[in-house]
Amino acid sequence: MSAPTPTPLRPALHAEDTLLARLLDGTYPPGSTLPAERELAASLGVTRPTLREALQRLGRDGLLEIRQGKPTRVLHPHEGGLRVLAHLSRHGELGRMVPDLLDLRAALLPHWVAQTADRDPQAIQAHLASPPAESDDPGLPQTFAAFDWAFQTLAAQGSGNALAPLLLGAFAEVYARAGAIYFSDPQRRERSREHYRALHAALPLGGIAAGQVARSTSLDSLQLWEARRV
């Protein structure tokens, strides 16, 4: 049986993807201006209306500054908002993001876990009681990443901070990719099960205890990545 034929990208998405690759590989470095529309559209093999659609998308995501009647200026990715993360993760930056994601997790998650423990820990405790078992399933890293994401989501929702789920949600696509990388290592999966057991036991003890355990386990995950990075 022959392999399925990949679905071609819509012209605007093709233009956006190609342009993004050029922004990230330095073809159009931060601070520079893009070529004129006619030239740029020809180089991408799209019409000018299609090019404008792609430019508007990248401008909305904080990668371009579109000025009426003036050349479009390239912004540094750091000038963009959180939506830039998903773009970066698709274009070779994902492996370098993992330690930063783990570091950010260690800063935020303990606070959310502590608040959830003091407010209502039942849902998150029930979730932590049943982490994925070890198996030969090739999709296990993705399953583990989904389980861990659900844990973080419950912590954010249970914290009582209305902004916490919104902030966490901005990392959903990036985490799905990065989590699969992190949990590809059986030792990291086993250590995470130990973390979940420790958190499960600490939650009934209140916010201070649960927060301390969440911080120590988060830092341990970062150290384990640095010691056994793929």
Side-chain angles (χ1 to χ4, degrees):
M1 181 180 294
S2 60
T5 302
T7 302
L9 290 176
R10 287 179 46 239
L13 294 179
H14 162 74
E16 179 184 353
D17 202 54
T18 304
L19 264 177
L20 179 60
R22 295 180 185 180
L23 297 178
L24 296 177
D25 69 12
T27 300
Y28 305 131
S32 68
T33 57
L34 294 182
E37 271 192 10
R38 187 183 302 276
E39 176 187 346
L40 189 56
S43 75
L44 295 170
V46 298
T47 64
R48 292 174 71 179
T50 296
L51 171 64
R52 292 189 191 110
E53 182 180 343
L55 293 175
Q56 289 295 332
R57 288 173 181 270
L58 293 171
R60 190 168 59 244
D61 288 349
L63 290 163
L64 297 174
E65 181 184 22
I66 300 174
R67 302 169 291 180
Q68 187 68 30
K70 296 182 179 180
T72 297
R73 188 170 73 90
V74 178
L75 301 177
H76 194 286
H78 292 167
E79 297 180 62
L82 289 174
R83 292 177 65 181
V84 176
L85 286 171
H87 285 311
L88 294 176
S89 74
R90 299 188 200 112
H91 290 269
E93 300 292 323
L94 185 57
R96 294 183 354 198
M97 285 183 178
V98 173
D100 290 333
L101 285 169
L102 291 172
D103 183 63
L104 189 61
R105 172 192 173 110
L108 296 175
L109 187 62
H111 181 60
W112 296 343
V113 168
Q115 289 180 311
T116 301
D118 282 337
R119 288 167 53 85
D120 184 0
Q122 292 185 4
I124 194 170
Q125 191 174 20
H127 179 73
L128 291 173
S130 303
E134 196 63 24
S135 72
D136 295 328
D137 181 0
L140 184 58
Q142 289 81 4
T143 300
F144 230 101
F147 178 89
D148 194 74
W149 179 255
F151 155 55
Q152 295 178 76
T153 300
L154 287 169
Q157 294 172 343
S159 70
N161 186 322
L163 297 181
L166 298 177
L167 176 61
L168 184 66
F171 293 87
E173 182 176 343
V174 176
Y175 187 81
R177 297 168 184 264
I181 293 175
Y182 182 84
F183 291 115
S184 64
D185 182 359
Q187 181 176 341
R188 295 188 196 124
R189 294 197 296 267
E190 182 52 39
R191 188 74 66 85
S192 293
R193 291 188 187 93
E194 295 173 7
H195 293 168
Y196 299 143
R197 286 193 289 270
L199 284 163
H200 182 271
L203 281 165
L205 303 179
I208 294 177
Q212 289 174 341
V213 171
R215 177 165 176 76
S216 66
T217 55
S218 296
L219 291 175
D220 185 62
S221 296
L222 176 57
Q223 293 166 2
L224 190 58
W225 168 263
E226 295 292 354
R228 293 175 57 85
R229 65 173 60 195
V230 292

